[in-house]
Amino acid sequence: MSSQPSYTQSTQGNPKAWGPPGTSSTHIPSPSTPGEKSFTHPHVPSYRRRNIKLPVLAVIVTFLITLALIILVFIHPNFFKADEYDLLVANIYTFVLVILATLLATFIRHHLRILWIREVDRLLAEQGGAAGWDVLNKRWRTTLGIARIRERWGSFANIKIDLTYITAGLLISCITAGFNLYSDSRSIQYYPKIPDGRDYFCANITTTEPTDLPFWKLDGGKYYTVYTELVRCPTSEAETLFRNINSKNASNFAYSDMGVAVLLSALGVPASVYGWVADRDEAIISLSTQYQLGLLRTAQCVPVMQRNPISCRKGGSVQFSNTNNTMYATSANGDCIVSDDFLESDLNPKEQYSMVKGKCIGSKLGQGTITMGASGTYAALLANMIAAFGKVLFGNDEPCDGPAGYLAGSNARIALAALSSSSILREGDGSEGWSQTLVSGALDMDPDNGFSRRQSGTWAFGESQNALEDFLGVTAAMVASRIYSEKDALIGTSGSAYISSWRIGSGSLVALVYAVPPFVVLLTLMWRLWSLKRMEVRWKTSRLGDLVTYGRLMPEA
């Protein structure tokens, strides 16, 4: 008669005789059946409490991944496009992300498998022997990932294990997709500042009559004076601004300023919304510095010049002095007479082509008359004038509420616009009087074919009657846009900026699906840890030595 022996811990024997490291000798006591001998076996391992530090770490890592994937749907971690190497940086980021995702997923799946194997260890300790061996064998093979399909899907318990492995297999894809870089475009609010239009050092009221400056006489013995040549005043910059006017076809853009193409719909917009000058409004430079090449466009509620303030008509007369070389040009209404004696060139305007031009201040603030006369070839050119980027600035017809405190009828803006062409009118004085700026702006100059008239379809203002009128009107718009008040005279207006950047995660609610597989794996890890937290086992089916020893000691069925 044979009976199954029971095993108890002992210190007898040599634990290093053979078998896996860490085993101890076990004394198998005498069975109750008489005639059987007692013996000591050196290869049965002692009971061991399983280390759960790494499985707990796997739980923490999985929790953090799940939490981050959820958070990324609702926040916007952005990396703004700074240079042409953005795509290379994005590719390197994706490559590193895939490697990291693979390492994390491998770590999590490894400890998920270990927890399932510990479940097999528990079942082995509880069942033992040949009873239920086939079921246990299939469970063991499934946990190791070596079972055939019919073994894995032969019972619900095995299906459950296999499904957790399949879910864990999605971790790499979820991490890569959830943390990948996406191109993100969105609108944000920003608040640019524009001059309110109050009087300042370039245009203001004086109580004494200026001697060498243009002015309008006001009531009460006061004078509105414009300092046309003072540094930092827009009229002193006009000579540079003229060159940026698009005299070819204003339908493409009216003028360029500080690297920005200004379209017809945005004529006269304050330059502070698209350019920057030290010690003045810093809204646009702050925006550009923060978002760099990611700043695509801005929109703001600002004033524009809707109509051409300049009107040019044929009329008047040209006269020559009988006693010297002085040439006179008189306006059609006779109120404005300008002259030039050509002392610098000793030119005779009666015999040589010449030009005289100038401005007369009107009776009301902002009003005046520009008078031009020419002789010879210059007369023909003048007649033809009257006969006929990285960034873009444009406007629309959408109404908006302007900023509080903005002076729509600003005296400074009106006066500076009225005197915007002062430097043009002085060009060539004393020599032959010719203004190459006027020719370049009002006529299409071709080195091979000479000049041609600018057609009306190429003008900036729809109501302009000729190219000269249009050119001077755009000049007025550019000068008016450059009014820079002191900092305390800047007022904020509403605006928005459209930016493009790389963001981590797509930001779509659909991306929440990426958090589902790691969440399922997290629940599985926690469930297995809770189930096995107090388990002590003698045999580890993941160790070959334990399997060999158990097989040798297992009694025959």
Side-chain angles (χ1 to χ4, degrees), residues 43 51 64 67 96 144 171 251 260 272 305 358 391 433 451 473 492 511 518:
H43 313 300
N51 191 337
L64 293 177
L67 181 63
V96 174
L144 294 179
L171 289 178
S251 61
V260 178
S272 58
M305 184 176 286
K391 297 179 181 178
F451 67 87

Side-chain angles (χ1 to χ4, degrees), residues 202-204 212-216 224-229 233-239 242 309-310 358-362 364-370 411-426 472 475-480:
C202 291
N204 53 48
D212 298 321
L213 295 171
F215 65 90
W216 284 269
Y224 199 88
T225 306
V226 178
Y227 301 83
T228 55
E229 299 183 30
C233 291
T235 47
S236 69
E237 303 172 352
E239 193 169 350
F242 298 149
I310 307 295
K359 177 187 285 288
C360 299
I361 300 298
K364 293 182 61 177
L365 178 63
Q367 289 185 346
T369 302
I370 297 175
N411 289 337
R413 187 176 293 106
I414 293 172
L416 289 167
L419 296 174
S420 59
S421 57
S422 297
S423 60
I424 295 180
L425 300 179
R426 292 191 299 269
L472 294 177
T475 300
M478 295 188 73
V479 169

Side-chain angles (χ1 to χ4, degrees), residues 109 112-113 116 139 142-143 145 147 149 151-171 516-525 527-528:
R109 290 168 59 188
L112 176 64
R113 190 182 303 276
W116 277 120
R139 180 79 58 85
T142 300
T143 59
I149 293 180
E151 292 177 318
R152 298 201 312 264
W153 295 80
S155 67
F156 175 75
N158 292 354
I159 292 175
K160 180 173 57 179
I161 296 172
D162 205 42
L163 286 177
T164 61
Y165 287 168
I166 293 174
T167 305
L170 298 174
L171 289 178
V516 174
F519 181 68
V520 173
V521 173
L522 173 65
L523 294 180
T524 304
L525 289 170
W527 167 49
R528 297 316 311 152

